[in-house]
Amino acid sequence: MTSVHEKLLPLFFVRTKRERYVEMISNPKKRPKFLGELDHFYSLDPRYVIPTEPKKLFPEQIAEILTKKGAPQSCWITSADPELDGKDMPLVEALRKVVGCQMGTFLSCIPGRLAYFEGEDLGVRWILERRS
């Protein structure tokens, strides 16, 4: 079953890809294809992407930035890593497992409003924020 976090995750995607990814996320047969695309995922809407500063690439610092933006203590994980995908986990713990692992992963903090994304490509560590 798709969580509210995953239902709203496509709000961070470029409009032209949203419908396609909504279908992929919510359809159990197509979900593996979506997860497989996360490592090299370039369909994020640049209006919502906040690159992290190089000196703040450690999990605790990223958690601090997210917390200041209103993130709760836990997050929902959507990941190419099957060990993490579909889990609700404390934010700092999730970041410790994700940062530097170079696996396409979303940590959804506030559904459709605040998330973190890390891709396989070096330097793809972004905070995603949609302001109401």
Side-chain angles (χ1 to χ4, degrees):
M1 185 171 156
T2 306
S3 79
V4 67
H5 288 273
E6 289 178 331
K7 287 180 183 174
L8 296 177
L9 195 59
L11 291 176
F12 294 113
F13 303 167
V14 290
R15 189 174 302 274
T16 57
K17 302 277 186 161
R18 273 187 207 155
E19 191 174 314
R20 174 178 179 251
Y21 286 127
V22 165
E23 182 183 351
M24 290 172 79
I25 290 169
S26 60
N27 183 328
K29 291 181 180 179
K30 295 181 180 183
R31 183 179 171 79
K33 182 170 173 45
F34 171 73
L35 296 176
E37 290 185 19
L38 290 182
D39 287 338
H40 303 284
F41 194 76
Y42 294 103
S43 295
L44 293 171
D45 189 324
R47 296 177 296 173
Y48 310 125
V49 173
I50 303 168
T52 56
E53 298 174 39
K55 65 182 179 181
K56 295 188 177 184
L57 293 180
F58 297 102
E60 291 76 11
Q61 286 81 17
I62 295 169
E64 184 179 335
I65 293 167
L66 289 166
T67 301
K68 285 180 181 176
K69 292 181 173 293
Q73 295 296 310
S74 66
C75 63
W76 179 265
I77 304 171
T78 301
S79 178
D81 183 345
E83 299 282 323
L84 297 174
D85 185 52
K87 293 187 178 176
D88 194 359
M89 187 178 289
L91 180 60
V92 175
E93 182 182 339
L95 284 163
R96 286 182 185 141
K97 291 183 180 285
V98 168
V99 173
C101 290
Q102 296 179 297
M103 293 281 290
T105 302
F106 284 99
L107 303 181
S108 178
C109 302
I110 302 172
R113 290 198 41 231
L114 183 64
Y116 172 78
F117 175 74
E118 175 141 350
E120 183 178 313
D121 298 327
L122 205 56
V124 178
R125 295 180 180 168
W126 299 323
I127 291 171
L128 307 172
E129 184 177 27
R130 281 180 61 107
R131 297 185 183 160
S132 47

